Amino acid sequence: MGGSTNAMALSATLHCLTGCAIGEIVGLLIGTALGLSNVATIALAVALAFSFGYTLSTLPLLKAGLAVGAALRVVLAADTLSILTMEIVDNAVMALIPGAMNAGLVNVVFWVGMAIALTAAFFAAYPVNRYLLQRGKGHALTHEYHHASGTPTGARRFIPSLSTGALVAAIVAFMLGGLVVAIADELAVDSSAHALVAPRG
């Protein structure tokens, strides 16, 4: 039972983390593109983190046959505390890392800070999810629907089945891509600066 609970808690935490990461990054992209203040950008990122987190948990319930309203009620009860914990820790860590909040998306500090913040959020939310699962709450409320028998019919056939592993791999790849772009940009800036100050023969 303990091993099963630990595995379910791990899966639930990674699933929530993926939704939060997508929301955070999209929110920061939009906030930066629109020139929003830090407070407005954080508010947008948090709102999108909840939205994406809830959406990723709702899709498999809809595919299993639940109505939208019923699926949302289950997800709100199952995921809210986990996502809230992640968002508090994630934003607190980003605020504590010098320069991370103001670094901008094409900056190594931002991507390293985001990786640290998301890792801290994971370790903060894991025991929360484990505690809830042990009491038949949290993702225990959704688990029975994830393995519903029968083949989806109608429009439900087109709802994608996104494994947690695939989602996490996509986020890791995206963050690594952002980090590589930031490093390349800094190297290009350094090269340009060096070219400007280099003595001419």
Side-chain angles (χ1 to χ4, degrees):
M1 178 63 181
S4 176
T5 300
N6 290 338
M8 286 176 65
L10 177 64
S11 176
T13 306
L14 287 173
H15 203 273
C16 286
L17 184 69
T18 303
C20 288
I22 294 172
E24 289 274 351
I25 293 171
V26 171
L28 291 168
L29 283 169
I30 295 173
T32 301
L34 297 178
L36 301 178
S37 66
N38 281 346
V39 173
T41 299
I42 291 173
L44 177 61
V46 170
L48 289 176
F50 272 92
S51 297
F52 277 99
Y54 288 146
T55 299
L56 289 179
S57 292
T58 300
L59 290 177
L61 299 184
L62 295 177
K63 190 162 189 172
L66 268 70
V68 174
L72 286 174
R73 284 193 294 273
V74 172
V75 168
L76 286 171
D79 286 0
T80 298
L81 185 57
S82 175
I83 296 175
L84 180 62
T85 301
M86 285 187 174
E87 286 306 294
I88 291 173
V89 173
D90 175 72
N91 285 287
V93 172
M94 282 293 283
L96 289 173
I97 297 175
M101 292 300 296
N102 299 310
L105 294 173
V106 190
N107 192 306
V108 174
V109 174
F110 169 80
W111 292 103
V112 172
M114 178 62 76
I116 294 171
L118 290 175
T119 301
F122 169 84
F123 283 109
Y126 173 80
V128 172
N129 282 311
R130 191 175 187 281
Y131 175 84
L132 292 172
L133 283 165
Q134 287 175 326
R135 282 150 186 77
K137 300 178 181 179
H139 265 248
L141 301 173
T142 66
H143 188 67
E144 60 181 287
Y145 299 107
H146 290 174
H147 303 286
S149 58
T151 303
T153 59
R156 298 182 194 279
R157 292 176 300 164
F158 303 105
I159 298 176
S161 296
L162 304 171
S163 70
T164 302
L167 291 170
V168 172
I171 290 301
V172 170
F174 182 80
M175 293 190 66
L176 287 176
L179 180 61
V180 169
V181 170
I183 292 172
D185 183 74
E186 291 197 4
L187 290 175
V189 170
D190 288 343
S191 297
S192 297
H194 181 71
L196 289 173
V197 300
R200 299 181 181 277

